[in-house]
Amino acid sequence: MNRTDAFLEEIRAEFPNFRIEKKRDSVLQKAIHVALVTVTLGGQRMYLTHYHTVLFGVLWVPDDWDAMSDDERYILLRHERVHLRQRRRMGDIPMAFAYLVPVLPLFLAWGRARIEWEAYVETIRATAEIYGVDAAAKLREPVVRRFVGPDYGWMWPFPKTIHRWFDEALASVCAELGGS
């Protein structure tokens, strides 16, 4: 059994209703895509084709899910399991509110940033475990770009804060892994 299938068994043991669906097959996901293109003035045009989204216990995946390697899927699932746990902890409505509103839906979305920070720490951790700390360190620029750019609606427009958070997260992961 590959790493992804084994991890999917773990997720389904914790979240029995969890399933994976294609974004292209969902009217709701297509509507979200149109809304994101609109509110970001075209800045976020890759929601359907490049982003994986947990919504109401379903992982909505773009078509490239099938082309991802076992390790890539495993790392992504580690990130998304954090969101599943956040949903369980917070509830659907409070999590949706935190993700979409505080403080502003665009340009200063503290709630969304906090939710994603927690999940991206797991991405950093999983990447370091699979590919090594150097590979995890190379996530810095793409992650910072996501936080300060249109991908997540400019959710945190302070790159220095994201760099500082990334340094702390990477140092914590290195300590967990025994300084490797």
Side-chain angles (χ1 to χ4, degrees):
M1 178 180 300
N2 66 30
R3 190 183 309 242
T4 299
D5 291 338
F7 195 67
L8 280 169
E9 282 186 14
E10 277 185 46
I11 291 174
R12 289 187 178 115
E14 189 175 354
F15 303 96
N17 295 324
F18 175 78
R19 64 186 198 281
I20 298 173
E21 300 285 343
K22 297 284 186 167
K23 280 187 169 185
R24 70 174 146 83
D25 297 334
S26 169
V27 172
L28 175 61
Q29 293 299 313
K30 290 175 185 176
I32 291 170
H33 174 75
V34 170
L36 288 171
V37 169
T38 302
V39 300
T40 64
L41 304 174
Q44 172 46 294
R45 293 182 171 276
M46 298 185 302
Y47 177 79
L48 279 180
T49 58
H50 289 78
Y51 283 82
H52 304 79
T53 307
V54 166
L55 191 60
F56 305 116
V58 176
L59 174 57
W60 295 95
V61 299
D63 288 340
D64 74 350
W65 170 260
D66 297 325
M68 292 173 70
S69 73
D70 181 47
D71 288 340
E72 291 168 330
R73 282 190 211 164
Y74 172 73
I75 292 168
L76 180 112
L77 287 167
R78 295 260 307 258
H79 176 107
E80 300 303 342
R81 182 177 64 178
V82 170
H83 291 317
L84 290 166
R85 289 175 171 169
Q86 290 166 331
R87 173 184 179 247
R88 180 178 57 210
R89 186 174 69 234
M90 298 169 75
D92 286 327
I93 301 301
M95 185 167 171
F97 182 81
Y99 200 86
L100 297 173
V101 178
V103 169
L104 301 171
L106 297 173
F107 307 111
L108 190 59
W110 182 86
R112 184 176 325 130
R114 297 300 304 176
I115 288 167
E116 291 299 341
W117 281 336
E118 187 179 341
Y120 274 103
V121 169
E122 190 62 16
T123 298
I124 294 165
R125 180 180 295 112
T127 300
E129 289 172 8
I130 302 300
Y131 296 119
V133 171
D134 288 344
K138 289 178 183 172
L139 295 173
R140 172 188 301 277
E141 291 310 318
V143 169
V144 170
R145 239 185 346 267
R146 283 188 174 166
F147 275 76
V148 302
D151 294 7
Y152 287 99
W154 302 275
M155 69 181 157
W156 201 253
F158 309 110
K160 286 182 182 179
T161 304
I162 306 304
H163 282 286
R164 191 168 42 253
W165 161 81
F166 192 94
D167 289 339
E168 291 168 4
L170 188 60
S172 174
V173 165
C174 286
E176 288 171 19
L177 297 176
S180 51

